[in-house]
C-alpha cells in the first residue's frame, strides 16, 4: 500500500498569532504528519463588497469584517518565519491561495504543492494559474457537481498531469450520513488520477477508513482546542486526536497486505504445533 500523505490543515486556526501557528506545526510534526497547510487571501479581493463593512464581534473587539480578515492574515514576515520553522521541524508546508495575488505571493516559496479549496473549484482562472505554477495541484471537490469537477479537471489537464482530487463534504462539521466515502472510488475511476480525502467530520475512524477505499492524501483541520474562537475550530482535530489519526492510518497501511493467501511466518510454528 502506498504511504499516505497526511496534511494537517492549520488554515486560519492560528487566529493571526504566529506563536499559535508554531505550536500547531509542533503538533503536526510530533504526530508524524507530512505537511501543514495554511490559507492565503488578499482580503480586498476575497471579501465581497456587501460584507466588507459589516460589523463583527471578535476577541480584539468590534471591527468590520474586512478589518477582521486582515487581522487573521499572515504576511511575508510571518510566512518567512513559518518557512524557516518548518524546515527546522523537518515538515513541509503549503497554503491555499484564494486569489491570484495570493498565488503570486506563494510562488516565491519552494512549496511541494498548491492546494485549491473547494470554494475556488469554479474559479477557472485561478485553477489555470495554479496548474501553470510548476507545482503539484491538489483540488478539493466539496459542494461541487460532477459537471463542475469535469471543467476544473479539464482546466488543470490543459497544463499538467501532476494533480490530485480530494473528496470532501464542505459542511463544518460534516454529517456522517453525508460523507459518501464511496465517492473516492468514483473519482479514481472517472478521472484516472490520484485521489484523497479532506474530512470535516467529528470522527477519526471515518477518515482512517478512507485510506482503505484508496485515498492516498489525507487532509484534516487541526486546532489546539475546539472551543477556541473562530469558524473552523469546532470541526478540527485536537492534538491527541491528530496523534490517534496518524497512528491509525499508519497501522492500516501496515496491516493492509498484498491479498495473497499464504501461511505467515508467525503462523508456521503454530501450524506445526497444531497440525503436526
Amino acid at each position: 500500500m502506498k504511504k499516505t500523505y497526511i496534511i494537517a490543515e492549520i488554515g486560519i486556526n492560528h487566529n493571526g498569532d504566529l506563536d499559535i501557528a508554531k505550536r500547531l506545526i509542533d503538533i503536526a510534526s510530533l504526530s508524524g504528519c507530512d505537511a501543514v497547510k495554511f490559507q492565503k487571501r488578499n482580503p480586498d479581493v476575497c471579501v465581497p463588497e456587501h460584507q466588507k463593512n459589516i460589523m463583527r464581534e471578535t476577541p480584539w473587539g468590534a471591527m468590520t469584517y474586512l478589518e477582521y480578515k486582515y487581522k487573521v492574515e499572515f504576511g511575508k514576515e510571518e510566512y518567512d518565519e513559518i518557512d524557516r520553522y518548518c524546515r527546522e521541524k523537518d515538515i513541509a508546508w503549503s497554503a491555499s491561495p484564494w486569489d491570484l495575488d495570493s498565488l503570486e505571493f506563494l510562488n516565491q516559496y519552494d512549496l511541494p504543492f498548491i492546494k485549491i479549496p473547494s470554494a475556488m473549484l469554479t474559479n477557472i482562472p485561478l485553477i489555470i494559474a495554479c496548474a501553470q505554477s510548476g507545482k503539484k495541484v491538489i483540488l478539493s471537490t466539496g459542494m461541487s457537481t460532477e459537471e463542475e469537477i469535469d471543467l476544473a479537471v479539464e482546466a488543470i489537464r490543459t497544463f499538467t498531469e501532476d494533480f490530485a482530487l480530494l473528496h470532501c463534504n464542505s459542511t463544518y462539521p460534516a454529517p456522517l450520513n453525508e460523507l459518501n466515502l464511496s465517492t473516492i472510488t468514483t473519482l479514481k475511476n472517472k478521472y484516472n488520477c490520484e485521489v484523497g480525502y479532506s474530512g470535516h467530520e467529528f470522527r477519526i475512524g471515518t477518515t482512517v477508513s478512507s485510506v482503505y477505499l484508496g485515498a492516498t492524501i489525507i487532509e484534516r483541520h487541526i486546532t489546539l482546542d475546539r472551543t477556541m474562537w473562530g469558524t473552523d475550530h469546532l470541526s478540527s482535530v485536537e492534538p491527541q486526536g491528530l496523534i490517534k489519526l496518524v497512528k491509525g492510518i499508519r497501522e492500516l497501511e501496515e496491516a493492509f497486505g498484498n491479498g495473497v493467501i499464504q501461511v505467515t511466518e508467525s503462523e508456521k510454528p503454530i501450524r506445526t504445533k497444531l497440525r503436526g
Side-chain angles (χ1 to χ4, degrees):
M1 177 180 260
K2 178 181 178 181
K3 184 175 183 288
T4 310
Y5 193 81
I6 303 175
I7 303 169
E9 161 78 5
I10 294 174
I12 56 172
N13 278 355
H14 50 72
N15 287 355
D17 187 323
L18 187 57
D19 287 335
I20 292 177
K22 286 183 174 181
R23 289 171 66 188
L24 290 168
I25 292 168
D26 288 342
I27 292 162
S29 177
L30 176 67
S31 302
C33 293
D34 297 288
V36 293
K37 190 183 77 64
F38 297 86
Q39 295 176 16
K40 187 74 180 93
R41 295 174 175 87
N42 177 345
D44 279 323
V45 173
C46 290
V47 178
E49 288 298 325
H50 68 278
Q51 291 187 15
K52 286 183 177 179
N53 293 316
I54 293 176
M55 296 304 295
R56 178 168 182 161
E57 289 297 328
T58 76
W60 309 281
M63 62 180 66
T64 67
Y65 187 62
L66 183 62
E67 289 172 330
Y68 155 69
K69 295 306 287 185
Y70 270 111
K71 189 76 174 176
V72 297
E73 191 65 45
F74 283 158
K76 189 170 190 310
E77 182 178 345
E78 290 85 3
Y79 275 110
D80 283 351
E81 178 59 16
I82 286 168
D83 187 60
R84 184 203 67 78
Y85 195 71
C86 284
R87 284 199 304 272
E88 179 183 310
K89 294 297 177 177
D90 195 26
I91 188 169
W93 75 274
S94 188
S96 293
W98 285 64
D99 52 80
L100 292 170
D101 291 342
S102 297
L103 176 61
E104 183 179 356
F105 175 87
L106 292 172
N107 277 336
Q108 67 186 301
Y109 297 100
D110 183 20
L111 305 181
F113 62 88
I114 291 290
K115 167 69 194 305
I116 303 171
S118 295
M120 293 293 110
L121 183 136
T122 56
N123 188 335
I124 300 301
L126 177 61
I127 288 175
I128 289 174
C130 290
Q132 293 174 318
S133 70
K135 298 178 175 65
K136 179 174 183 170
V137 176
I138 301 177
L139 171 65
S140 277
T141 59
M143 60 186 175
S144 301
T145 66
E146 191 168 344
E147 291 74 23
E148 288 169 340
I149 298 171
D150 285 344
L151 291 173
V153 170
E154 182 182 352
I156 293 172
R157 278 198 153 128
T158 302
F159 299 97
T160 183
E161 284 291 332
D162 190 12
F163 75 97
L165 300 177
L166 301 189
H167 172 56
C168 175
N169 181 298
S170 293
T171 309
Y172 288 62
L176 283 178
N177 65 345
E178 293 184 2
L179 293 185
N180 199 13
L181 295 180
S182 297
T183 305
I184 293 167
T185 304
T186 304
L187 292 171
K188 286 173 74 75
N189 291 339
K190 175 165 186 181
Y191 299 106
N192 192 29
C193 67
E194 185 176 12
V195 174
Y197 177 60
S198 178
H200 300 129
E201 70 272 24
F202 279 134
R203 304 296 193 274
I204 292 173
T206 43
T207 298
V208 174
S209 298
S210 71
V211 175
Y212 177 78
L213 291 170
T216 54
I217 301 171
I218 293 295
E219 178 186 75
R220 284 295 300 260
H221 284 258
I222 65 170
T223 182
L224 296 177
D225 185 340
R226 280 180 173 168
T227 65
M228 288 177 68
W229 187 90
T231 55
D232 293 346
H233 291 281
L234 188 60
S235 57
S236 300
V237 179
E238 293 178 330
Q240 286 301 317
L242 184 63
I243 291 169
K244 290 177 182 177
L245 174 64
V246 176
K247 188 171 186 288
I249 290 172
R250 299 307 181 214
E251 286 177 348
L252 175 57
E253 290 169 344
E254 186 175 0
F256 195 79
N258 58 15
V260 177
I261 298 173
Q262 59 185 328
V263 179
T264 67
E265 286 301 314
S266 67
E267 286 179 314
K268 288 178 181 177
I270 308 300
R271 175 185 168 93
T272 301
K273 178 181 177 181
L274 297 180
R275 292 186 182 173

